Amino acid sequence: MAEFGEEDLSGSTFDWTDLSGSTFRAASLSNVTIRGTDLHHVRMSGVELWDVDITGEIQGLRINGVDVTDYVEQEVLRREPELARMRPDDPAGFREAWDLVERRWDGTVERARGLDPELLHEQVDGEWSFVETLRHLSFATAAWVSRAIEGDPAPWHPLDLPWDEAPEGRGFPRDRSVRPSLDEVLEIRRARQADVRRVVESLTEEMLATEHTPPDDESWPPARPFSVKDCLSIVLNEEWWHRTYAERDLAVLETRST
């Protein structure tokens, strides 16, 4: 256990570092970026929390003794009523949700085609570029449909892109240096979308509850049981939010193009 007192660690990077159980007293965490990090059971008191932007899965968030989780959830649903359709419970609901996802993404891709192709490789505020976003969704579908549901041990395409904090040595591609064209990644994307469409079109109530275990722990997801419903729900969640972020960033790129 390390102890730091009155030391300047500003600008430090902590990758795959276990800080669980740590205590921060009179510490400056200003201008900190936290990505892909577990913040379970965190307690903060006497803090100054100004101009904070939190994006992610939020449960049990209390501010000054008030649980604001439900308020945040309801406000998100008020702004995007169709988000509720991304949480289906039956086969028909999954088919309707996937129809909606595909229609919305068609519009987003057409919007992206209106930009200079070079802008589709640009990042906004350190987030993925548009092309990288599509590459990641290809990875997510391969992981949760081809591998978790259908049992393919290595369904990856060389252009698939895992999340930034993915562990090394898991056998999947993660090349951030390549710059494929939009049409190149869309060709892979359409094949992945067809995989999802094939699964949802054949869904039954029994299939939704069926559990599958990926072949091994050497890749992603790990070898533990996942229901078909859970796997497809993860895909829907990835599709919805990454399109939301893509639309947000396309608006910024459009201002740059003008």
Side-chain angles (χ1 to χ4, degrees):
M1 181 176 64
E3 291 190 9
F4 302 96
E6 298 185 11
E7 298 185 47
D8 186 354
L9 298 177
S10 58
S12 298
T13 298
F14 300 92
D15 287 330
W16 290 95
T17 304
D18 187 353
L19 296 175
S20 59
S22 299
T23 300
F24 297 89
R25 293 192 183 91
S28 174
L29 295 175
S30 299
N31 301 311
V32 166
T33 298
I34 301 174
R35 299 178 64 93
T37 299
D38 292 340
L39 291 170
H40 301 168
H41 313 298
V42 172
R43 181 165 297 177
M44 296 183 285
S45 61
V47 299
E48 296 181 5
L49 204 61
W50 300 352
D51 193 22
V52 176
D53 187 359
I54 301 173
T55 302
E57 183 178 343
I58 300 171
Q59 298 181 26
L61 175 61
R62 290 176 294 279
I63 300 178
N64 290 336
V66 179
D67 191 326
V68 299
T69 312
D70 187 60
Y71 167 77
V72 172
E73 175 75 5
Q74 293 305 314
E75 179 62 15
V76 170
L77 287 174
R78 185 189 68 79
R79 297 181 182 186
E80 283 283 4
E82 289 186 310
L83 174 58
R85 295 172 62 185
M86 296 298 107
R87 302 163 187 172
D89 290 317
D90 56 31
F94 275 96
R95 286 187 278 273
E96 291 171 4
W98 189 246
D99 286 343
L100 175 60
V101 161
E102 287 193 321
R103 287 199 307 272
R104 287 204 160 196
W105 264 110
D106 285 346
T108 299
V109 169
E110 283 306 305
R111 183 180 183 181
R113 287 193 183 280
L115 292 172
D116 183 327
E118 285 301 308
L119 286 175
L120 302 184
H121 293 286
E122 283 199 19
Q123 296 184 341
V124 177
D125 294 331
E127 301 295 334
W128 279 328
S129 70
F130 189 79
V131 168
E132 288 171 333
T133 295
L134 296 180
R135 291 174 59 196
H136 174 68
L137 290 174
S138 175
F139 172 88
T141 302
W144 293 103
V145 175
S146 302
R147 182 173 153 83
I149 296 178
E150 299 184 327
D152 186 339
W156 319 113
H157 187 281
L159 289 178
D160 287 350
L161 188 65
W163 70 107
D164 285 343
E165 299 78 24
E168 299 285 351
R170 294 298 183 92
F172 43 68
R174 56 190 313 145
D175 191 346
R176 293 291 296 271
S177 65
V178 295
R179 291 168 66 89
S181 69
L182 177 60
D183 285 328
E184 285 180 276
V185 296
L186 283 176
E187 183 177 356
I188 305 163
R189 168 106 169 116
R190 292 188 188 103
R192 302 292 198 206
Q193 288 176 308
D195 290 339
V196 180
R197 171 65 63 185
R198 184 184 67 253
V199 172
V200 298
E201 289 294 343
S202 63
L203 272 183
T204 64
E205 293 283 358
E206 183 180 20
M207 287 174 60
L208 273 179
T210 302
E211 292 187 337
H212 298 274
T213 300
D216 54 65
D217 277 325
E218 301 304 313
S219 195
W220 185 261
R224 64 179 178 85
F226 295 95
S227 71
V228 171
K229 179 181 178 182
D230 287 343
C231 294
L232 291 177
S233 295
I234 290 170
V235 171
L236 289 177
N237 187 67
E238 291 275 324
E239 293 278 348
W240 178 275
W241 287 111
H242 282 296
R243 195 198 71 86
T244 298
Y245 305 147
E247 288 279 347
R248 174 200 64 196
D249 294 346
L250 284 174
V252 175
L253 295 174
E254 286 166 346
T255 65
R256 293 180 185 176
S257 68
T258 58

